[in-house]
Amino acid sequence: MTTDTPSPLRILVADDHMMVLEMFQQFLSNQPNMEAQTAPDLESALASMDSDGPFDLALIDLNMPGMDGTAGLRKAMERNGDKPVALLTSNPTPAVVADVLQMGAAGIVLKTTSLKDLANEVRFMAAGGRYIPVELIETGPVRTRSRDVSSTPLSARETTVLDLLGEGKSNREIGADLSLAEATVKMHVKSICSKLGASNRTQAVIVAQDMGLI
């Protein structure tokens, strides 16, 4: 007796940061019964929905070109048939969270979520569930990133290190560029991740791009 293999979940990830697209596409496409397609802006995402959709789940970046806030999310929901669409962002305001809930979107995925959690979140929403990170429900926007304190929570040295992280340089290369010991660079990277609420250097760069720090 043969058992039919279920069709893979088809996920669309739309974001204007290439690092986000590469990370999400590589991770999601390596999950069992899942494949990911990407788009760099809202117009491209809508075109993909028209030509290749509807997708089992679309993750739509809040700040990419064409979005106009959550208005772009609504457009994506209208174009993806009756399939779920969720917002992809780093630190949504209470108003954005309220809009997402009010319009009936599938939820919100934080770019700082661990990859292990990401797979579960994607499957949950693709199955028809609604997902909102608990920290957004309990405390509103993610305050741990200190975004209300100043335009940047980072020191001048950390900002310099962050710029080099954004260029894809290793700790050793950053140390050579700045005449710092590699251990000192590691300390700065750890501090940057902590201040930006990121779990690793890649997520730190992604969050920093969303904040306009690099």
Side-chain angles (χ1 to χ4, degrees):
M1 180 178 179
T2 59
T3 302
D4 292 337
T5 302
S7 300
L9 290 177
R10 299 176 59 249
I11 313 299
L12 175 65
V13 183
D15 197 291
D16 60 333
H17 294 144
M18 186 57 63
M19 185 177 292
V20 174
L21 295 182
E22 290 177 350
M23 180 179 70
F24 275 56
Q25 183 178 42
Q26 181 177 11
F27 175 76
L28 293 176
S29 293
N30 284 333
Q31 298 302 301
N33 297 318
M34 195 179 296
E35 60 185 36
Q37 187 170 322
T38 64
D41 51 44
L42 180 62
E43 182 179 356
S44 299
L46 298 179
S48 293
M49 291 173 181
D50 290 340
S51 61
D52 304 323
F55 292 86
D56 294 302
L57 176 67
L59 301 176
I60 306 295
D61 178 40
L62 176 63
N63 296 317
M64 67 181 174
M67 282 297 289
D68 188 25
T70 55
L73 181 67
R74 188 178 295 278
K75 290 180 181 178
M77 292 172 63
E78 293 170 351
R79 296 283 272 277
N80 200 41
D82 60 352
K83 297 291 187 177
V85 177
L87 192 69
L88 182 62
T89 186
S90 293
N91 192 45
T93 65
V96 166
V97 175
D99 281 350
V100 170
L101 291 171
Q102 188 276 330
M103 68 177 62
I108 296 175
V109 173
L110 296 177
K111 295 181 184 180
T112 51
T113 191
S114 71
L115 292 180
K116 179 181 178 181
D117 290 340
L118 174 63
N120 293 332
E121 293 166 10
V122 165
R123 292 189 187 281
F124 178 71
M125 289 186 289
R130 175 178 285 186
Y131 175 77
I132 300 292
V134 65
E135 59 264 41
L136 297 183
I137 298 173
E138 293 179 344
T139 63
V142 186
R143 303 289 183 189
T144 55
R145 290 170 203 158
S146 304
R147 296 185 187 188
D148 296 331
V149 176
S150 64
S151 59
T152 173
L154 307 180
S155 68
R157 174 60 79 186
E158 289 167 348
T159 299
T160 302
V161 171
L162 178 64
D163 287 338
L164 296 174
L165 286 177
E167 295 175 11
K169 294 192 174 183
S170 66
N171 289 347
R172 179 172 296 181
E173 291 170 327
I174 293 172
D177 286 352
L178 302 179
S179 299
L180 296 174
E182 189 172 350
T184 302
V185 176
K186 288 181 180 178
M187 179 186 70
H188 285 311
V189 172
K190 183 177 180 180
S191 178
I192 291 168
C193 289
S194 177
K195 290 182 178 181
L196 298 184
S199 59
N200 56 53
R201 59 200 292 136
T202 300
Q203 287 188 340
V205 172
I206 291 169
V207 172
Q209 288 175 329
D210 267 9
M211 292 176 68
L213 298 181
I214 57 176

